[in-house]
Amino acid sequence: MINFIAVVVAIASVLAALGHVGYLALLNNAANKRAGGAPVAQYVRSRWPIAGGTTAASLLAWLFTAGGTGMDILAIVLAAGSGAVAVKALQSTQAKYRSGG
């Protein structure tokens, strides 16, 4: 049962981290196509280490789910932490560049 919980939390964490990576990629693509997009591209470059770190930590947590109960507990803690950081970073980036359509 604990393994199932660990796997679900790890997958959710990976999805959150990849969501942040995808959003940054879209922002970077739009900034590179638009004249005057240099400040946005510079901001995106400053956010890549956070996105990469949370993605790596989430994938590591998912890998930990292949171990025993102790590794499952460690995977839950690592995945929950990295997922929370990824979601917070994504929300921060979205709030900065959200247009009032």
Side-chain angles (χ1 to χ4, degrees), residues 15-67:
L15 291 176
L18 290 178
H20 186 217
V21 168
Y23 191 76
L24 287 177
L26 288 173
L27 265 180
N28 193 41
N29 187 28
N32 289 333
K33 288 182 179 178
R34 169 174 276 169
V40 176
Q42 182 179 5
Y43 176 79
V44 169
R45 278 192 301 273
S46 74
R47 303 298 282 179
W48 281 122
I50 295 169
T54 56
T55 302
S58 296
L59 290 171
L60 182 64
W62 197 355
L63 182 65
F64 283 174
T65 62

